[in-house]
Amino acid sequence: MDIWSSLLESALISKTTTSRTILLLGGSPTTQESFIQQIVASAESGVYSIKGWTSQIANEFALGYVYFDVFDRDQEDVILRINIYTLSSIYDSYARLIVDLLQRDKLTFETVLVTILLDWEEPRRWVRDLAQYIKFLKELVFKGLDRDVCASGLRKCSQRYRQLSDISFTEVLNFPSRPAEIDIPLGKGEYDAPLGVEMLVAVMNSERIDVLEQQFGRKDDEFDFIQQFLRTVLLKHGAALVYLSSESKSLFPLLFYLLSPSLLSEQSRNILIEASKNIQPNVVDRGAILIPSGWDSWSKILLIKEGFDVDGVSSGWSTDVLSNEGDMEGIIEVYEDVVHAFGNPPVGANRNESSQEELEIHSMTVQEFLKGQLADLNSIEVS
């Protein structure tokens, strides 16, 4: 009997599906759904396939959930399950939901990817929103976890980032086989404020860049400033950055790259090799910016445009956002002073140039529509 129990337990362990978790923060419920749809659309490959997503995502209230299974070429074995938990608004009370989730599922820091959504519809809000999300995670979510668990996750993520920063992007495919004891010094402003988790910032609707340029008269210098500012901040946290349009094909490959370092099976390695073809770093095509974690540096940021105060932005973020004494406003105002009118025509512009944009109609969510209908019905009953 003991022999059979042992064999059955062994078989169960061998069939256990490896899972990774994405914590998706920010954006509207509709934007989050678009992000998840892009994962599906960018996962078309002869090497892997994904199943499990449904068109209805319960993300209107508090913590939403959806999952994917990644299959091998023959669609017989599940290589990876990706669990996605969504949170479109952040409140102090929501922090407990995430802490309970991490503790309930025994999630470790190296199996979690925090993804923050920004949107080209409101570029002025990017830095303020990013600061709020990071403070929410740093002060409320991770502070509520066991300190030893946090310290362990911090060390592992820091070690991986240091290794990635020392090797070329193509060499990342050999990352799992590299000695674990390597400790490579980092450059100034690189990963000096780690959260202890992998992090990705995804900027949606990059098609709008052309609209901002052609109809609103925004200039290259402004787009360069936004990119340099964002990259400088994210470099401190070791985060990846991607701009996404409806035609982007880099999202799933990038997610797999960020989630897969500890996946050592032959199938997952094949997927990573295939994925790497679609996630080469890009800073030239401003509608398809892609910065993998471990790739960026101050020198690369300054190549975009000389004169950008990378040191000032980096130190200002530490003082105003990450410090307990900071009020967040200083460094945020530096950014907002440049992009404060980014969604409006420049002074002196012909208003006819923006007339088409002003006629654009924005649809409401299902919940907003139903709420309005309920109010109308209540008024009829009263009368």
Side-chain angles (χ1 to χ4, degrees):
M1 185 64 179
D2 291 338
I3 295 176
W4 280 110
S5 298
S6 177
L7 288 173
L8 290 172
E9 183 177 355
S10 174
L12 178 63
I13 292 173
S14 66
K15 286 293 184 180
T16 299
T17 301
T18 302
S19 65
R20 295 290 181 268
T21 296
I22 296 175
L23 178 60
L24 185 60
L25 302 177
S28 65
T30 302
T31 305
Q32 290 182 344
E33 186 168 342
S34 296
F35 176 84
I36 293 171
Q37 288 173 339
Q38 285 212 18
I39 299 176
V40 177
S42 60
E44 300 174 358
S45 170
V47 178
Y48 52 81
S49 63
I50 64 174
K51 296 180 181 179
W53 176 76
T54 62
S55 58
Q56 298 298 319
I57 304 172
N59 65 340
E60 292 285 344
F61 306 103
L63 202 61
Y65 174 74
V66 70
Y67 77 92
F68 302 93
D69 286 333
V70 182
F71 289 81
D72 63 9
R73 187 196 306 268
D74 300 323
Q75 298 191 22
E76 293 181 355
D77 296 324
V78 178
I79 300 171
L80 177 68
R81 168 161 291 185
I82 300 177
N83 300 295
I84 303 178
Y85 293 92
T86 66
L87 201 63
S88 57
S89 302
I90 52 173
Y91 301 100
D92 290 2
S93 57
Y94 285 178
R96 189 68 243 176
L97 293 174
I98 303 176
V99 172
D100 290 344
L101 170 69
L102 296 173
Q103 293 177 336
R104 184 199 69 193
D105 292 351
K106 296 182 171 59
L107 298 174
T108 58
F109 276 52
E110 61 267 26
T111 64
V112 175
L113 170 66
V114 171
T115 300
I116 296 173
L117 294 185
L118 304 176
D119 198 318
W120 270 109
E121 290 288 342
E122 295 184 291
R124 184 177 183 271
R125 291 196 53 85
W126 287 5
V127 170
R128 185 174 297 277
D129 287 348
L130 187 60
Q132 290 173 345
Y133 295 136
I134 288 176
K135 287 182 76 70
F136 171 76
L137 293 169
K138 179 174 178 286
E139 297 178 1
L140 297 176
V141 176
F142 300 145
K143 188 177 181 180
L145 295 173
D146 183 89
R147 290 186 178 181
D148 291 337
V149 173
C150 292
S152 174
L154 185 62
R155 285 194 300 270
K156 290 179 180 178
C157 287
S158 176
Q159 184 181 71
R160 175 176 183 252
Y161 183 87
R162 287 170 179 269
Q163 290 178 311
L164 287 176
S165 66
D166 186 59
I167 58 180
S168 67
F169 186 73
T170 54
E171 288 181 305
V172 76
L173 300 178
N174 297 319
F175 168 74
S177 62
R178 292 172 66 87
E181 65 273 6
I182 294 178
D183 188 15
I184 300 151
L186 296 172
K188 192 173 182 181
E190 294 181 26
Y191 205 64
D192 58 6
L195 294 176
V197 290
E198 293 284 1
M199 188 164 76
L200 167 67
V201 171
V203 185
M204 306 294 289
N205 298 313
S206 65
E207 302 99 327
R208 188 167 169 76
I209 292 176
D210 291 336
V211 175
L212 291 168
E213 180 182 38
Q214 296 169 12
Q215 297 186 18
F216 291 83
R218 306 300 17 140
K219 304 299 183 184
D220 286 342
D221 287 352
E222 295 172 296
F223 292 110
D224 290 342
F225 174 82
I226 290 175
Q227 182 192 151
Q228 288 179 297
F229 199 106
L230 202 55
R231 286 170 60 186
T232 301
V233 168
L234 297 184
L235 183 60
K236 298 177 70 63
H237 303 290
L241 170 67
V242 64
Y243 286 9
L244 295 172
S245 70
S246 58
E247 303 298 322
S248 298
K249 296 297 183 183
S250 60
L251 182 54
F252 177 79
L254 179 61
L255 291 175
F256 197 86
Y257 158 75
L258 293 171
L259 292 167
S260 65
S262 57
L263 301 176
L264 303 180
S265 69
E266 182 178 350
Q267 294 99 323
S268 64
R269 299 279 290 161
N270 289 338
I271 292 179
L272 186 54
I273 292 171
E274 181 71 18
S276 69
K277 299 175 184 177
N278 297 314
I279 51 174
Q280 297 301 316
N282 171 46
V283 297
V284 178
D285 182 355
R286 64 188 182 190
I289 299 298
L290 197 159
I291 311 293
S293 57
W295 179 84
D296 217 354
S297 66
W298 278 12
S299 60
K300 291 175 182 175
I301 293 172
L302 290 173
L303 285 175
I304 299 297
K305 184 176 172 44
E306 290 289 343
F308 178 76
D309 187 7
V310 63
D311 194 357
V313 170
S314 182
S315 59
W317 187 261
S318 296
T319 302
D320 297 336
V321 175
L322 303 179
S323 169
N324 293 330
E325 290 76 31
D327 61 0
M328 294 204 318
E329 291 306 314
I331 192 61
I332 291 176
E333 288 175 355
V334 170
Y335 174 84
E336 291 180 345
D337 284 347
V338 175
V339 299
H340 70 283
F342 217 70
N344 301 317
V347 177
N350 187 340
R351 289 194 59 83
N352 290 332
E353 295 179 359
S354 60
S355 59
Q356 182 177 355
E357 185 69 19
E358 291 173 352
L359 292 174
E360 182 177 331
I361 298 174
H362 296 277
S363 62
M364 64 179 65
T365 66
V366 174
Q367 291 298 322
E368 290 171 339
F369 172 77
L370 293 175
K371 184 177 180 180
Q373 293 296 305
L374 178 62
D376 291 342
L377 290 172
N378 289 335
S379 64
I380 293 173
E381 291 178 1
V382 170
S383 61

